Amino acid sequence: MEYSRRLARVPDSYFGKTMGQEVKHGPLPLINMAVGVPDGETPRGILDTFAEALYQPENQKYGAFHGKATFKQAIVQFYKRHYDVDLGPEEEVCILYGTKNGLVGLPTSIVNPGENVLLPDPGYTDYLAGVLLADAIPVPLQLEPPHYLPDWTCVSSDILSNTKLVYLTYPNNPTGSVATLETFEEAVQLFKNTPTRIVHDFAYSAFGFDAPNPSILQVEGAKDVAIEIFSLSKGFNMSGFRVGFAVGNKTMIAALKKYQTHTHAGMFGALQDATTYALNHCDDFLLEQNAKFKRRRDNVELKLRESGIPFEPMKGGIFIWLPTPKGYDGEAFVQYLLQEQSILVAPGIPFGENGRHYIRVSLALEDAQLDEAMERLGSLAPLYQQ
């Protein structure tokens, strides 16, 4: 089989290669801390709504390409309730068949071949694929510890002048860092009245441990330059449902909607009904999710400090970002952990060059497994003292 030249330029998806593969590990029971799939169940009300909606005749036929009015209105009301952001349901909302489809499809929708796209380094692995499929030029947006926020003074004016799109993601996957409203204000002001647009990946919006996570659309004028992509996978325990949405800048939304009319038909109506229920009725569940992962974060950071293992402060999200011991890069340390401690984590390298000497550790495990994992990791403290 031969790939097209365009597809051949795209590296294999790290998680596409690894999820579902048999894992060879050491003698201890395997603890999988590699994938960010929430460990709880989907709220019962969402499932009941989904099940009932299956029997509605209108949900067994083709639906409107751009979604039900009830679903779009629920998105509008959710953003008003949580972020005090006003949205137009038709021009400023685009439903997505999993947010990854929107994040990867956006460059093809609005970026021309040869234009720059700034990608956070470290940042989510599959942004790069979307840039390469659009024949655009990926440029790392260097994020430095401990806060992993953009320093725009370090990006050359030559790069910025040819940049069409900038990806931001907070809480950051993989580092667990968060942004303030001032972070977004700086970005919006920088790109105001320029051809550059911003997409903020808000996949871990529910998880802000020291303060609620702001939306970039809360910034005055943000809708002139930015969209935000919201996922229900993590906060609502709906990762298998593959549903999310983009909101904000009308032109970017129109481009995504046009793109999707050629790549997808209308979203399954029962899925839209279940998601509408989630947005309208699960605010308390989001608070519970945040409290659960904050407690886990506090416990894990305490145990790491007691063991003397360094880590980057985790302010949000569901991952903690650990440097590797001296003499190991991320991939080598992943193999060491598998064979010596039967712990599976993700190497930092797929998230960008700045992740080469890090591993990403998911906290989406039951408490007993998480405690056992911390004991095993704690036994490796001597590696960090060499």
Side-chain angles (χ1 to χ4, degrees), residues 285-311:
F285 182 76
L286 295 179
L287 295 175
E288 293 168 9
Q289 284 280 78
N290 188 54
K292 177 169 70 174
F293 277 85
K294 182 180 188 298
R295 176 177 50 79
R296 289 176 176 177
R297 184 280 306 260
D298 292 345
N299 183 46
V300 164
E301 289 193 348
L302 175 63
K303 291 182 182 300
L304 291 172
R305 273 193 293 269
E306 290 175 345
S307 299
I309 294 179
F311 59 91

Side-chain angles (χ1 to χ4, degrees), residues 6 295 299 331 352 357:
R6 179 180 287 110
R295 176 177 50 79
N299 183 46
E331 291 180 331
H357 291 97

Side-chain angles (χ1 to χ4, degrees), residues 1-19:
M1 174 180 173
E2 291 186 5
Y3 294 131
S4 68
R5 288 191 295 273
R6 179 180 287 110
L7 186 59
R9 293 175 57 217
V10 179
D12 289 341
S13 166
Y14 173 76
F15 292 107
K17 286 191 303 182
T18 57
M19 281 188 68

Side-chain angles (χ1 to χ4, degrees), residues 65 96-98 101-102 257-267:
F65 268 49
L96 296 171
Y97 312 82
N101 286 333
K257 290 169 75 171
K258 180 176 181 179
Y259 174 80
Q260 287 199 142
T261 61
H262 295 290
T263 57
H264 299 82
M267 181 181 286

Side-chain angles (χ1 to χ4, degrees), residues 244-260:
F245 53 86
V247 290
N249 180 269
K250 293 179 181 180
T251 304
M252 297 171 74
I253 292 296
L256 264 180
K257 290 169 75 171
K258 180 176 181 179
Y259 174 80
Q260 287 199 142

Side-chain angles (χ1 to χ4, degrees), residues 222-238:
K223 286 196 287 186
D224 294 335
V225 299
I227 63 169
E228 188 158 72
I229 293 188
F230 187 98
S231 172
L232 283 88
S233 294
K234 317 300 182 183
F236 294 84
N237 283 350
M238 293 177 66

Side-chain angles (χ1 to χ4, degrees), residues 68-357:
K68 294 186 177 187
T70 49
F71 181 16
K72 289 180 284 190
Q73 190 58 37
I75 293 168
V76 169
Q77 292 170 345
F78 182 88
Y79 255 71
K80 182 64 176 177
R81 197 166 65 246
H82 285 262
Y83 307 112
D84 197 25
V85 170
D86 293 310
L87 295 168
E90 300 304 325
E91 293 186 309
E92 296 179 336
V93 174
C94 175
I95 66 172
L96 296 171
Y97 312 82
T99 56
K100 179 174 175 177
N101 286 333
L103 291 163
V104 173
L106 184 60
T108 295
S109 304
I110 69 166
V111 180
N112 296 308
E115 292 180 325
N116 296 333
V117 179
L118 292 183
L119 301 179
D121 182 355
Y124 179 55
T125 59
D126 281 324
Y127 299 151
L128 175 62
V131 178
L132 296 177
L133 289 170
D135 289 332
I137 302 172
V139 178
L141 176 60
Q142 305 292 344
L143 305 180
E144 301 291 342
H147 302 300
Y148 292 97
L149 297 173
D151 182 353
W152 300 109
T153 65
C154 294
V155 185
S156 77
S157 58
D158 288 343
I159 291 292
L160 288 178
S161 66
N162 190 45
T163 293
K164 184 61 176 290
L165 182 63
V166 178
Y167 281 75
L168 299 176
T169 174
Y170 294 101
N172 180 275
N173 172 16
T175 70
S177 59
V178 297
T180 63
L181 208 54
E182 290 72 25
T183 304
F184 294 137
E185 287 173 346
E186 185 180 13
V188 168
Q189 285 302 313
L190 178 64
F191 297 114
K192 186 178 180 180
N193 299 320
T194 77
T196 304
R197 296 293 176 259
I198 303 168
V199 53
H200 178 229
D201 180 1
F202 210 16
Y204 298 90
S205 57
F207 307 95
F209 305 137
D210 303 321
N213 293 306
S215 162
I216 194 172
L217 299 185
Q218 291 174 282
V219 174
E220 184 177 354
K223 286 196 287 186
D224 294 335
V225 299
I227 63 169
E228 188 158 72
I229 293 188
F230 187 98
S231 172
L232 283 88
S233 294
K234 317 300 182 183
F236 294 84
N237 283 350
M238 293 177 66
S239 56
F241 288 68
R242 309 310 305 143
V243 61
F245 53 86
V247 290
N249 180 269
K250 293 179 181 180
T251 304
M252 297 171 74
I253 292 296
L256 264 180
K257 290 169 75 171
K258 180 176 181 179
Y259 174 80
Q260 287 199 142
T261 61
H262 295 290
T263 57
H264 299 82
M267 181 181 286
F268 184 30
L271 176 56
Q272 294 186 59
D273 291 345
T275 308
T276 299
Y277 178 94
L279 292 170
N280 287 338
H281 295 94
C282 293
D283 287 0
D284 288 344
F285 182 76
L286 295 179
L287 295 175
E288 293 168 9
Q289 284 280 78
N290 188 54
K292 177 169 70 174
F293 277 85
K294 182 180 188 298
R295 176 177 50 79
R296 289 176 176 177
R297 184 280 306 260
D298 292 345
N299 183 46
V300 164
E301 289 193 348
L302 175 63
K303 291 182 182 300
L304 291 172
R305 273 193 293 269
E306 290 175 345
S307 299
I309 294 179
F311 59 91
E312 299 294 353
M314 182 183 177
K315 301 296 184 183
I318 63 174
F319 306 109
I320 194 160
W321 189 234
L322 300 182
T324 59
K326 186 176 180 180
Y328 293 86
D329 67 10
E331 291 180 331
F333 196 48
V334 165
Q335 291 304 313
Y336 180 89
L337 287 173
L338 260 182
Q339 300 310 315
E340 298 299 324
Q341 297 296 333
S342 297
I343 295 175
L344 178 63
V345 299
I349 294 170
F351 299 95
E353 186 59 32
N354 289 339
R356 180 164 294 277
H357 291 97

